[in-house]
Amino acid sequence: EVQLVESGGGLVQPGGSLRLSCVASGFTFSDYEMTWVRQTPGKGLEWVSYISSGDNDIYYADSVKGRFTISRDNAKSSLFLQMNSLRAEDTAIYYCARRFEYWGQGTLVTVSS
Amino acid sequence: DIVMTQTPLSSPVTLGQPASISCRSSQSLVHSDGSAYLTWLHQRPGQPPRLLIYKISNRFPGVPDRFSGSGAGTDFTLKISRVEAEDVGVYYCMQTTQFPFTFGPGTKVDIK
């Protein structure tokens, strides 16, 4: 069974940093591209970042470019999102997804003073 | 960026009756490989989204056959042949033809 479990969310002050993790199981992690998607509470979905299976190709939404860094550790079946210079508008539930086929339950990031 | 729009934004439906959601993209979703990467997702309250349809009309394994997708170019449709209670929630179309990937605003489906 494919499982994706995010962690690392929490309350952080504006300008602060957080590192999200997503641990995958039930499939060969290194074979799949992965993405991060966020959802503002009560609002729609916003794609955040993409990383190819071998991390050769990486893309970001303009809203996070230069502040967020996606990475992966295929040996540990893990996906990461380093978030720096956080803003109030980054407050959201962050989901990791395998090709949008499978999604984790999400981790809530709240940016507030 | 490709802008995705959906109509209606809200759809009260009757159990057992059909339902339809339209999605339009601001430019063609045909990729250079010839495929159109239009995806439909369903999100129930308090749950993550789940994949229903990919590449316009392909049902993801486990998705009931009452769900079907159609369309081409810039106009796409998701149809539910007979709505069941578990179908309530928000439906999103999204494109993964080009970066940045973009989502429609969502269509909320509830029971009349």
Side-chain angles (χ1 to χ4, degrees):
Chain A
E1 179 193 5
V2 172
Q3 284 199 317
L4 299 168
V5 180
E6 302 95 337
S7 62
L11 174 64
V12 62
Q13 292 189 337
S17 298
L18 278 178
R19 188 187 194 218
L20 305 185
S21 299
C22 170
V23 177
S25 60
F27 65 100
T28 304
F29 182 74
S30 58
D31 286 347
Y32 291 87
E33 60 264 36
M34 300 291 294
T35 65
W36 287 99
V37 174
R38 67 185 181 184
Q39 184 169 36
T40 306
K43 299 272 181 77
L45 299 165
E46 180 187 14
W47 170 77
V48 173
S49 184
Y50 162 101
I51 186 168
S52 60
S53 57
D55 72 29
N56 322 55
D57 296 311
I58 288 176
Y59 297 90
Y60 299 98
D62 285 346
S63 57
V64 308
K65 200 174 295 181
R67 300 186 299 122
F68 290 10
T69 302
I70 191 171
S71 62
R72 64 191 297 160
D73 183 337
N74 285 341
K76 296 183 178 178
S77 297
S78 295
L79 176 72
F80 306 101
L81 187 68
Q82 177 67 43
M83 304 187 298
N84 298 331
S85 304
L86 283 161
R87 306 166 179 166
E89 54 265 35
D90 296 318
T91 294
I93 298 170
Y94 285 74
Y95 298 102
C96 68
R98 189 196 92 172
R99 284 185 186 170
F100 303 104
E101 298 168 342
Y102 295 96
W103 297 63
Q105 288 296 314
T107 186
L108 177 62
V109 172
T110 303
V111 184
S112 175
S113 54
Chain B
D1 298 2
I2 298 177
V3 177
M4 306 297 289
T5 56
Q6 290 180 232
T7 54
L9 296 182
S10 179
S11 180
V13 297
T14 301
L15 290 175
Q17 293 301 303
S20 180
I21 300 169
S22 295
C23 172
R24 178 168 288 179
S25 57
S26 61
Q27 60 191 80
S28 173
L29 297 187
V30 178
H31 191 271
S32 56
D33 67 8
S35 293
Y37 293 91
L38 185 282
T39 296
W40 289 98
L41 303 167
H42 175 219
Q43 186 175 33
R44 297 187 181 107
Q47 294 293 313
R50 69 171 182 133
L51 176 62
L52 294 177
I53 303 283
Y54 63 97
K55 288 202 286 186
I56 301 178
S57 60
N58 295 274
R59 260 190 315 275
F60 191 61
V63 174
D65 61 8
R66 65 179 180 275
F67 290 93
S68 63
S70 63
T74 61
D75 288 283
F76 309 94
T77 302
L78 176 71
K79 292 183 179 178
I80 310 173
S81 59
R82 294 173 305 279
V83 173
E84 298 190 6
E86 64 181 18
D87 299 338
V88 298
V90 182
Y91 291 79
Y92 297 93
C93 63
M94 71 168 297
Q95 66 80 22
T96 56
T97 294
Q98 72 177 52
F99 292 98
F101 298 159
T102 47
F103 294 87
T107 294
K108 186 175 182 180
V109 171
D110 58 12
I111 305 300
K112 281 182 183 174

